Amino acid sequence: MRSQRIYVRSWPARSNFAFNPFQRLMSEALEATGMFTVEEFDPIAAIFSHADIWHWHWPDGQFAGGLPATFAKYLWLRFLLAVACVRRIPIVWTAHNVDAHESRHPRLEESFRRLFLRRVSGFHFLSDYSRQLLVERYPDLIKGISIVTVHPDYSSIASPVSRQQARERLGIDHDGPIVGFVGTVSRYKGVTRLVEVYTSQSVSPSLFQLLIAGKPNADLKDWVDSIRNTPGIIIVDRQLSQEDLSAAYCASDVIALPYENITNSGSAVMAMTLGIPLLVPDRPPMRELAGKAPGGTVNFLDDPLTLEGLLSGLRTGSTWRSRNDGALPGFSWSEIAPALQELYLRVLDRDKF
C-alpha cells in the first residue's frame, strides 16, 4: 500500500470551473480520498514540474484556431508526449469525446490522436458506448488500462429551485409550459433544428415556449440574434453563473437536447441532477444513460425531430416533473472516486516496470 501522496497534474484541474465544473469536482473527489494532490497542468511548466501522473481531458481542444497556431500547438503537444515518455510519467485520459465536436483541422487531429493513444496508460470512459467506439476505431492502439464510470452528478454545486423562483430569477414572464435548451449553444447539439421545428408550424406561444439559455459559440452568434424577437422563443445568451444555469434548467418543464452526434452529455446529467426530465435522441449512449437513471428521467425524441414528438415529450415530462429532489443513486462523485483511484494505482504499478 502506498504511503506517499500521489501528485496529479490535471489538464485542466480547476481553471475552467466557470465553463465546466466537471474537472474541479473530479479534483476535489480525488483529493478527498487522502491519497492525491491534484494541481493544474501547465503545458510549459510541466516539462520540469514534479508529477506522478498527467491527467488530460481535451487535448484536441488545442486545434480550434487557425492553421499556423494549430500546427504550432500540434508540435508542442508532440513534444509534451516525448517529455512524458522520457520522464516516465503515465498519462491518463478521460475520453469525453472520441472526435472533436466541431473539427477544423481533421488531418492534424487524427495524426495527434494516433500518437496520443500510443502514450495513454489509463483510459477513463464515461459510457460503455464511448469505449466501444474508440476500441473499434483504433484496435491496435488501445493498450492502456481502462475503466468505465457514469458521468457523475452535480449535486454538490447545483440545487433545484421551484419553477416560479427560477423564472423570476431569469426575468421570464410566462406561466405556461417551457421546453428548455440549456448550456453552450453549439451546432452539434441540434439547437438550430429545434428552433426550426418550433417555428416551422407557427406554434402558438400559449401552447409552449422555447428557452435557449447559454453562451453561443462564435459561429452561432448571428443566428441567435436572428431569432431573438421570434414569438415564443426566450433567449438568455450569456455565460451563465451556476445559479443562473440552475435556474434555466428549473424554469423548464423539460430539457430538449436533440444532439446530432453524442457520446456523453454533461448537460443531460445537470438536468438529471436538478430533477428535470430529458428529451434526447434515441442513440446508444442515451439508451445507456436511460438504463442507469431513475425511470422517467430520460425520454426519447422522434428521429427526425418533430413538433408532435416535442409535445408528447413535454406532456410526459410535465407529468413526471413532480420528482425534483435530484436523487441519482450511483452518480455521486464519492461513488466514482474509488474507481479513479484504482485506475491511477494500476497505471502506476504497471508503469514502474
Side-chain angles (χ1 to χ4, degrees):
M1 188 70 179
R2 293 175 180 270
S3 58
Q4 295 182 334
R5 291 185 75 84
I6 296 168
Y7 284 84
V8 180
R9 299 276 178 180
S10 181
W11 193 12
R14 297 171 175 84
S15 61
N16 65 327
F17 179 74
F19 301 96
N20 188 338
F22 182 98
Q23 285 71 36
R24 195 188 86 175
L25 297 178
M26 174 185 280
S27 299
E28 291 174 349
L30 286 167
E31 291 186 331
T33 67
M35 184 175 289
F36 304 98
T37 296
V38 184
E39 298 180 353
E40 202 73 35
F41 180 93
D42 183 308
I44 297 177
I47 299 172
F48 308 105
S49 301
H50 171 68
D52 296 299
I53 291 173
W54 288 356
H55 192 137
W56 288 6
H57 288 270
W58 294 289
D60 56 358
Q62 302 300 307
F63 300 145
L67 183 58
T70 296
F71 186 67
K73 290 178 180 179
Y74 164 79
L75 294 176
W76 187 253
L77 285 169
R78 289 190 58 150
F79 176 68
L80 286 176
L81 293 179
V83 169
C85 183
V86 170
R87 295 185 57 195
R88 300 183 63 82
I89 301 173
I91 297 174
V92 171
W93 178 39
T94 294
H96 297 269
N97 313 299
V98 175
D99 295 307
H101 288 310
E102 297 171 357
S103 178
R104 293 193 60 185
H105 307 285
R107 290 186 179 179
L108 280 180
E109 290 172 22
E110 180 64 13
S111 175
F112 171 74
R113 188 178 296 114
R114 288 183 169 277
L115 290 169
F116 177 62
L117 291 176
R118 291 189 181 96
R119 280 292 304 129
V120 174
S121 298
F123 294 86
H124 172 210
F125 296 100
L126 297 172
S127 67
D128 287 313
Y129 174 74
S130 59
R131 175 166 65 178
Q132 175 187 338
L133 205 61
L134 198 71
V135 170
E136 287 178 353
R137 186 177 302 180
Y138 303 104
D140 299 329
L141 299 181
I142 311 302
K143 308 294 186 183
I145 300 162
S146 69
I147 61 168
V148 178
T149 73
V150 297
H151 186 304
D153 67 26
Y154 294 100
S155 58
S156 64
I157 60 168
S159 300
V161 296
S162 72
R163 189 174 77 161
Q164 180 180 351
Q165 289 175 310
R167 294 185 183 186
E168 288 176 353
R169 179 179 180 92
L170 296 176
I172 297 174
D173 184 19
H174 176 66
D175 294 329
I178 287 179
V179 173
F181 177 95
V182 183
T184 303
V185 182
S186 303
R187 196 174 298 277
Y188 80 93
K189 294 182 179 180
V191 61
T192 57
R193 177 58 182 159
L194 180 62
V195 170
E196 179 185 333
V197 167
Y198 184 78
T199 58
S200 64
Q201 299 188 39
S202 301
V203 176
S204 170
S206 63
L207 184 61
F208 76 92
Q209 296 197 9
L210 194 61
L211 169 64
I212 310 294
K215 184 178 180 180
N217 283 346
D219 65 321
L220 287 182
K221 286 182 179 179
D222 290 342
W223 174 80
V224 169
D225 285 338
S226 74
I227 64 171
R228 190 177 303 278
N229 297 316
T230 304
I233 297 183
I234 306 162
I235 302 292
V236 184
D237 57 333
R238 64 175 186 269
Q239 182 64 46
L240 300 172
S241 66
Q242 184 56 56
E243 292 76 12
D244 284 346
L245 186 70
S246 296
Y249 281 100
C250 294
S252 308
D253 294 273
V254 295
I255 295 295
L257 299 170
Y259 292 101
E260 295 176 3
N261 57 78
I262 186 63
T263 51
N264 305 286
S265 173
S267 297
V269 175
M270 181 65 81
M272 290 164 51
T273 301
L274 293 166
I276 312 301
L278 285 163
L279 303 178
V280 294
D282 188 0
R283 302 281 191 272
M286 296 295 100
R287 290 198 295 271
E288 189 176 331
L289 182 65
K292 296 174 181 177
T297 309
V298 181
N299 306 279
F300 297 116
L301 290 162
D302 292 339
D303 188 9
L305 183 65
T306 65
L307 179 62
E308 292 73 20
L310 279 176
L311 286 169
S312 176
L314 180 59
R315 287 191 293 269
T316 301
S318 296
T319 300
W320 178 87
R321 169 80 194 264
S322 59
R323 189 200 73 82
N324 193 27
D325 60 4
L328 290 174
F331 282 77
S332 72
W333 277 105
S334 62
E335 294 170 284
I336 306 305
L340 289 167
Q341 175 178 311
E342 180 63 21
L343 173 64
Y344 282 177
L345 294 179
R346 290 174 62 195
V347 162
L348 289 169
D349 286 343
R350 194 190 73 168
D351 282 28
K352 286 191 305 185
F353 305 103

